[in-house]
């Protein structure tokens, strides 16, 4: 029986998020790791950070984005593993394939998380709760992974439902229970409230979602601007955003923490070109263009800056690599040394389909950038990503950081 109040607002939104995803894949591949603290991120003697860890490791205080060395101090007997991205991507693809059996209305948020709107699948597959339970069972039985499932009448509450019940969660938030459930939760549970906004709300004496529920409409927007309206609505269980299939990613990024600080500008540029090639390959695989290029650097004193540039939409290695190295050139003058560099590509939009004949359109001027990229993609697909690169990415291997 469906627990949702179908007469009020239909609970047709399902949010699914795998538990301790990378670590669970590792535990699945190597059963001797099951029940043990597993940290994925790399060698604890390196200066990288934790990508994720098993729930066994979380009980020692280890969490995502924490330096690996700190994770090892907290949990010295944890097993530390490198990030095996391809393995997780394959598992992710399999999980999304199961979800896609129940609706085309699927919005993928990240490698392990998606929203489904099953409103138009009910005549075929039964209730949203039944569909949620089936997905959960199938992911466990067919893929040997645990996934938390939350169901409600909008995206905010569906995601909250899956988070509140983690790990191995299954929870429905009905329309008539949402307000009471939200009331005692810290404001950090509202979508978009991070550390900075949390402090701002704190200063206004707003600690719990109930504090925001009790405000007159417009009060918070007057204090903190348009986000105030959004938070007030979320606090009252209002979130009109639809599930939008195809809007799979907002951005794509790659960063590295160096084994030793570096100020070698040529090496840093090589790395950015390398990241550009890798990320653009993914854009092309997914038929996407980017129009915002962001370079992030962190100095050896941990201060960090990021600089962005808007470009006309594209996905060419050369274009993005040049933009990224230009940004670095403007933003960094060789001091202080860096401990981290990253590249991210934002505002992703569908790339226009290739026009017939465009492959050879540039004959007289020699092959164009897009053509070269496509040929290299084909070669990489067949023989691996390391076998070919543009000249501007070829020196990086000399300095290859341990976690790349
Ligand atoms: P999450 O879903 O945030 O985390 P999780 O699946 O490991 O754990 P849970 O959902 O049970 O809380 O992220 C999914 C994967 O994304 C995660 O397994 C590893 C990767 N990731 C990073 O690489 N760095 C990060 O800082 C975070 C948060 C995740
Ligand atoms: Mg997860």
């Amino acid at each position: 029986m469906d627990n949702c109040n179908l007469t009020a607002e239909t609970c047709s939104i399902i949010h699914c998020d795998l538990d301790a995803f990378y670590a669970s894949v590792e535990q699945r591949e190597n059963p001797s790791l099951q029940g043990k603290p597993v940290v994925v991120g790399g060698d604890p003697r390196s200066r990288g950070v934790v990508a994720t860890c098993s729930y066994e490791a979380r009980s020692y205080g280890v969490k995502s984005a924490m330096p690996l060395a700190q994770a090892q101090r907290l949990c010295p007997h944890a097993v530390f593993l490198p990030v095996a991205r391809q393995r997780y991507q394959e598992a992710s693809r399999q999980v999304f394939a199961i979800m896609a059996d129940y609706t085309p209305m699927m919005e993928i948020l990240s490698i392990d998380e998606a929203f489904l709107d099953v409103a138009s699948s009910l005549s075929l597959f039964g209730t949203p709760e039944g569909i949620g339970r089936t997905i959960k069972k199938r992911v466990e039985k067919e893929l040997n992974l645990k996934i938390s499932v939350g169901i409600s009448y909008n995206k905010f509450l569906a995601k909250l439902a899956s988070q509140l019940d983690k790990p191995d969660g299954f929870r429905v938030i009905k329309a008539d229970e949402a307000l009471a459930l939200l009331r005692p939760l810290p404001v950090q549970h509202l979508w978009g409230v991070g550390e900075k906004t949390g402090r701002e709300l704190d200063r206004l004496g707003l600690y719990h979602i109930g504090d925001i529920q009790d405000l007159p409409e417009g009060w918070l927007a007057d204090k903190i601007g348009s986000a105030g309206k959004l938070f007030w609505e979320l606090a009252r269980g209002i979130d009109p955003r639809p599930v939008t299939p195809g809007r799979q990613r907002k951005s794509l990024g790659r960063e590295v923490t160096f084994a030793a600080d570096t100020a070698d500008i040529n090496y840093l540029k090589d790395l950015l070109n390398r990241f550009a090639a890798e990320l653009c390959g993914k854009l092309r695989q997914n038929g996407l263009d980017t129009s915002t290029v962001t370079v992030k650097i962190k100095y050896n004193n941990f201060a960090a800056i990021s600089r962005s540039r808007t470009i006309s939409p594209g996905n060419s290695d050369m274009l993005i690599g040049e933009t990224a190295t230009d940004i670095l050139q403007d933003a960094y003058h060789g001091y202080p040394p860096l401990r981290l560099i990253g590249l991210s590509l934002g505002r992703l939009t569908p790339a226009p389909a290739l026009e017939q004949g465009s492959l050879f359109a540039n004959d007289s001027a020699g092959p164009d950038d897009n053509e070269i990229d496509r040929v290299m993609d084909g070669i990489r697909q067949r023989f691996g990503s390391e076998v070919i690169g543009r000249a501007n990415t070829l020196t990086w291997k000399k300095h290859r950081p341990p976690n790349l």
Side-chain angles (χ1 to χ4, degrees):
M1 220 359 235
D2 188 349
N3 273 339
C4 286
N5 181 353
L6 290 169
T7 57
E9 289 177 270
T10 308
C11 286
S12 66
I13 314 288
I14 304 181
H15 178 260
C16 303
D17 185 328
L18 288 145
D19 298 331
F21 179 43
Y22 292 5
S24 305
V25 172
E26 297 295 348
Q27 287 174 319
R28 177 185 77 173
E29 305 298 303
N30 179 355
S32 75
L33 297 176
Q34 268 159 26
K36 292 195 180 145
V38 172
V39 177
V40 180
D43 188 328
R45 289 163 301 182
S46 76
R47 305 199 317 162
V49 294
V50 174
T52 194
C53 59
S54 65
Y55 277 80
E56 292 84 357
R58 292 182 198 197
S59 65
Y60 292 84
V62 180
K63 53 186 181 187
S64 291
M66 169 182 280
L68 288 160
Q70 188 184 353
Q72 194 181 38
R73 280 195 297 277
L74 289 169
C75 187
H77 60 293
V79 178
F80 286 80
L81 297 171
V83 177
R85 219 168 258 115
Q86 273 187 338
R87 201 178 287 164
Y88 317 138
Q89 267 157 1
E90 172 64 9
S92 166
R93 203 186 50 70
Q94 293 169 323
V95 172
F96 293 141
I98 290 181
M99 293 176 195
D101 282 347
Y102 301 93
T103 178
M105 291 294 290
M106 173 162 86
E107 179 177 336
I108 296 173
L109 297 178
S110 74
I111 193 165
D112 81 330
E113 158 183 34
F115 283 115
L116 314 178
D117 185 343
V118 295
S120 42
S121 313
L122 303 182
S123 55
L124 269 178
F125 297 110
T127 63
E129 193 173 343
I131 295 172
R133 285 210 185 275
T134 306
I135 290 173
K136 188 168 168 57
K137 268 192 223 130
R138 283 189 60 191
V139 168
E140 184 160 1
K141 191 155 164 263
E142 294 171 30
L143 305 177
N144 200 8
L145 292 170
K146 289 263 171 52
I147 192 160
S148 291
V149 172
I151 302 179
S152 194
Y153 59 92
N154 64 35
K155 283 164 106 174
F156 164 55
L157 291 169
K159 180 159 167 134
L160 183 72
S162 77
Q163 305 296 300
L164 287 179
D165 230 20
K166 260 183 179 296
D168 200 14
F170 186 90
R171 182 163 189 154
V172 181
I173 300 179
K174 293 183 277 175
D176 58 5
E177 64 186 9
L179 286 185
L181 178 129
L182 288 167
R183 182 160 274 282
L185 297 178
V187 291
Q188 279 72 14
H189 278 98
L190 293 173
W191 212 331
V193 176
E195 250 177 64
K196 189 165 157 255
T197 315
R199 280 197 301 273
E200 220 172 337
L201 295 174
D202 250 30
R203 273 197 297 278
L204 295 167
L206 304 169
Y207 308 109
H208 297 102
I209 295 180
D211 299 332
I212 298 181
Q213 286 176 350
D214 295 340
L215 296 173
E217 187 172 4
W219 189 92
L220 196 53
D222 284 347
K223 294 281 178 206
I224 66 168
S226 57
K229 177 175 187 294
L230 177 73
F231 298 149
W232 186 82
E233 287 181 351
L234 292 176
R236 295 178 161 239
I238 302 165
D239 176 13
R241 286 169 300 177
V243 171
T244 315
R247 215 197 55 195
Q248 302 201 346
R249 277 177 186 277
K250 291 206 188 84
S251 69
L252 195 63
R254 186 84 163 88
E255 63 178 42
V256 64
T257 304
F258 303 117
D261 301 332
T262 180
D264 179 343
I265 192 84
N266 289 328
Y267 167 51
L268 293 167
K269 285 184 178 175
D270 278 354
L271 267 180
L272 286 177
N273 277 313
R274 169 80 189 174
F275 288 171
E278 184 183 318
L279 298 176
C280 287
K282 285 191 189 151
L283 289 184
R284 291 190 296 273
Q285 251 174 19
N286 291 290
L288 295 170
D289 277 343
T290 176
S291 48
T292 310
V293 179
T294 302
V295 172
K296 169 176 153 193
I297 54 180
K298 199 185 264 183
Y299 302 108
N300 60 355
N301 62 7
F302 282 83
I305 60 165
S306 61
R307 295 282 179 270
S308 297
R309 197 169 288 177
T310 302
I311 55 169
S312 48
N315 60 23
S316 126
D317 296 7
M318 197 75 124
L319 168 79
I320 307 298
E322 275 172 12
T323 309
T325 52
D326 268 7
I327 297 174
L328 180 72
Q329 185 103 20
D330 286 350
Y332 182 59
H333 306 291
Y335 191 81
L338 303 185
R339 72 182 322 265
L340 172 150
I341 191 162
L343 173 66
S344 76
L345 307 180
R347 270 202 253 157
L348 306 185
T349 47
L354 270 183
E355 282 161 41
Q356 276 288 328
S358 68
L359 259 180
F360 304 104
N362 266 358
D363 260 0
S364 53
D368 71 6
D369 278 351
N370 292 336
E371 182 183 348
I372 295 170
D373 287 339
R374 283 194 301 276
V375 171
M376 292 204 301
D377 286 345
I379 294 173
R380 287 192 188 111
Q381 251 165 30
R382 291 183 60 196
F383 303 111
S385 62
E386 298 294 311
V387 299
I388 189 166
R390 287 178 185 270
N392 62 359
T393 67
L394 294 182
T395 58
W396 76 285
K397 278 186 195 159
K398 272 196 309 209
H399 310 269
R400 183 181 186 135
N403 44 353
L404 265 184

